[in-house]
Amino acid sequence: MSGLFATSVFTFPASESDFMPEILQKKIPYDVSEHKKLPGMLPLAADGWLIEDEAYAAQLAERDRLLQDTPDKVFAEVGASAEAKQEVLDEILAQLRRRPSYRVAAGEVRRPDGVIVPLSGDPMRTAARLVQEDLCLHERRGDEHALTAAVMCFPASWTLHEKIGRPLSAVHRPVAEYDVDVAKRVQRLFDGIKAGRPMWRFNVLEYVRPDLFQPRSETAPRSSDEDYGQGAYLRSEHQALVRLPRTGAVLFAIHTYLIKKPT
């Protein structure tokens, strides 16, 4: 799984007829060769966790399609507080009001691609329809933070229904690097992150198919296809952690970059 702190290479065999249309960026705007060991977090500008790039319209159209056609696969919640979910939307709207590419009105938002999104219904789903980022809400439950709600339309080799409601240590159990020491450091990071001072990291993955929606069960065997680890597409997630100031919950926002591998 890619998850919060994974760095992996996955590919999947598929025929040409199974390929989804390519939704690509021109480049990944950071040096993916400078990957840091877990947790490898860096400071981020206060508004740097919401990114607009040239794939905005196509990614949002794919997100809208997935939310409409397969909502049970891309949206889930277990015990999430209504206040924290609303704060996710409120924090995003506060940023979008400062961006000329958006028009935020009392009951709706006009996106940069011209689509009008009503400010009604579940606030997490509404928020995810406004930005390129997938949104994962974590709230403190006992000794750990747990994934209580998420809109995850672009999973990189994991499935939301297997992760929702689980604490951080269980969410990342399949990740080889995620040992007891790393788990403790990640939990301290979640406890210590400050409002207005988000942090970020990135991962690097390689795929045969260009699909943004790439689910994979924890129990599914990795591909033994001859193209394993030799896919034509390079994928990187800009992963940001954001403390919500009112509720103290932590939002994990994932911006997905996908490019053709340089030849």
Side-chain angles (χ1 to χ4, degrees), residues 126-199:
T126 300
R129 291 195 61 210
L130 299 176
V131 296
Q132 283 179 257
E133 284 71 22
D134 281 312
L135 304 172
C136 299
L137 179 66
H138 294 79
E139 298 178 82
R140 187 72 186 236
R141 297 290 185 264
D143 294 334
E144 292 186 75
H145 280 75
L147 178 62
T148 59
V151 178
M152 194 69 213
C153 293
F154 307 150
S157 303
W158 60 286
T159 56
L160 181 56
H161 74 86
E162 289 180 336
K163 308 299 182 184
I164 194 68
R166 296 169 71 178
L168 288 173
S169 58
V171 166
H172 295 95
R173 188 168 294 149
V175 181
E177 294 176 83
Y178 204 90
D179 57 19
V180 173
D181 179 62
V182 171
K184 290 179 179 178
R185 284 190 284 148
V186 171
Q187 184 55 57
R188 287 197 297 267
L189 177 65
F190 269 67
D191 289 336
I193 192 168
K194 305 297 184 185
R197 298 173 62 183
M199 305 287 287

Side-chain angles (χ1 to χ4, degrees), residues 90-147:
D90 292 345
E91 288 293 302
I92 287 175
L93 290 175
Q95 283 205 36
L96 301 188
R97 289 187 180 96
R98 299 192 290 268
R99 299 190 178 190
S101 54
Y102 287 84
R103 182 180 62 81
V104 180
E108 64 183 27
V109 175
R110 184 182 186 276
R111 299 189 319 208
D113 59 356
V115 173
I116 303 297
V117 177
L119 295 178
S120 58
D122 184 273
M124 287 284 292
R125 289 180 57 138
T126 300
R129 291 195 61 210
L130 299 176
V131 296
Q132 283 179 257
E133 284 71 22
D134 281 312
L135 304 172
C136 299
L137 179 66
H138 294 79
E139 298 178 82
R140 187 72 186 236
R141 297 290 185 264
D143 294 334
E144 292 186 75
H145 280 75
L147 178 62

Side-chain angles (χ1 to χ4, degrees), residues 199-210:
M199 305 287 287
W200 80 289
R201 73 177 302 275
F202 66 87
N203 64 9
V204 187
L205 308 103
E206 194 172 327
Y207 282 90
V208 169
R209 294 185 283 122

Side-chain angles (χ1 to χ4, degrees), residues 14-54:
S15 66
E16 287 293 326
S17 61
D18 292 330
F19 278 32
M20 293 290 291
E22 293 181 337
I23 300 175
L24 305 178
Q25 283 93 347
K26 296 178 182 177
K27 64 179 182 179
I28 298 171
Y30 41 80
D31 186 354
V32 295
S33 69
E34 295 183 354
H35 193 268
K36 300 180 182 297
K37 292 183 178 180
L38 297 177
M41 303 298 288
L42 298 169
L44 184 63
D47 62 351
W49 55 280
L50 292 180
I51 301 167
E52 295 172 54
D53 61 35
E54 69 273 20

